[in-house]
Amino acid sequence: MAGTICFILWVLFITDTVWTRSVRQVYEVHDSDDWTIHDFECPVECFCPPSFPTALYCENRGLKEIPAIPSRIWYLYLQNNLIETIPEKPFENATQLRWINLNKNKITNYGIEKGALSQLKKLLFLFLEDNELEEVPSPLPRSLEQLQLARNKVSRIPQGTFSNLENLTLLDLQNNKLVDNAFQRDTFKGLKNLMQLNMAKNALKNMPPRLPANTMQLFLDNNSIEGIPENYFNVIPKVAFLRLNHNKLSDEGLPSRGFDVSSILDLQLSHNQLTKVPRISAHLQHLHLDHNKIKSVNVSVICPSPSTLPAERDSFSYGPHLRYLRLDGNEIKPPVPMALMTCFRLLQAVII
């Protein structure tokens, strides 16, 4: 039990690191004595708060061009403008940039000058959501940790785009126009530290191939995925959060072991075409199966078998770890089968 709890806490810590590192960095304090009067130059189009000298606020100003960025700037806010291009020149002195927010502009791939982004050797966070991109921009700086490209028109990932991005931990490609032929077997090669991959709301019919081994959160909701290849999860042995809601998964499209994968803690399969509850791991904690075509629950099939490993037997002294189960929107009639409660003794909520 202690080992499992430690693993769960580690997963939550890593997840928090991916999402909140940016928040911690934004509030870093810099001594004003480190800056000269010249360093406090501020583009007339923007606002430079004296209490936060490393930030430059240029959002919501109707800008069509990126102004010259002073050398002291770490955090650059350019969202909600009319910017179409990213040239090199505005960034020639911006060697300290860590964060760029260019969400909700009109940027196209043709408008990004080659080298404009890759020259930013310390950049960690790049936000390009809600633009006019048709492919993942390249080249990007090796230092990058988060790349947010949601709600563009991305349908292509040029070969080698991610080959040097070994520091990237989060890649968000949701709500684009990706189809299966957008991926090659080596598309994600180089993403050695990727932990979260979001490709929800695209046009995929198959699972993306050869994902990075360290992937822990995989979001593929709202595609048209019909099946999962046998042994697919062997390549991503650390996946803990898997979302496949609103796809076209059927019983025949699942691996023979179903989702009996020890790393998965949260599994979401709502709004598919399943008629049976798939096999699951004893480690699973949250299972969403609502709005499928399930008529009954065969507990003898889905109840995980006790582990034969001595190290895990103590962990499962109270049975499988499932705590939350959604089955509403199916053809199952209450009450909850007693055998289900007997198997999953830690269940805290069952929705039918």
Side-chain angles (χ1 to χ4, degrees), residues 75-93:
Y75 307 100
L76 176 59
Y77 299 89
L78 284 162
Q79 65 270 29
N80 293 302
N81 281 295
L82 302 171
I83 297 169
E84 297 181 359
T85 62
I86 304 178
E88 284 191 50
K89 188 168 179 59
F91 298 101
E92 60 185 4
N93 294 318

Side-chain angles (χ1 to χ4, degrees), residues 45 66 96 115 138 260 286:
E45 307 94 329
I66 298 174
Q96 301 300 315
S138 178
D260 187 3
H286 297 88

Side-chain angles (χ1 to χ4, degrees), residues 321-332:
H321 290 176
L322 192 67
R323 288 168 167 77
Y324 180 89
L325 175 61
R326 275 197 69 174
L327 289 166
D328 53 305
N330 284 285
E331 301 175 31
I332 303 171

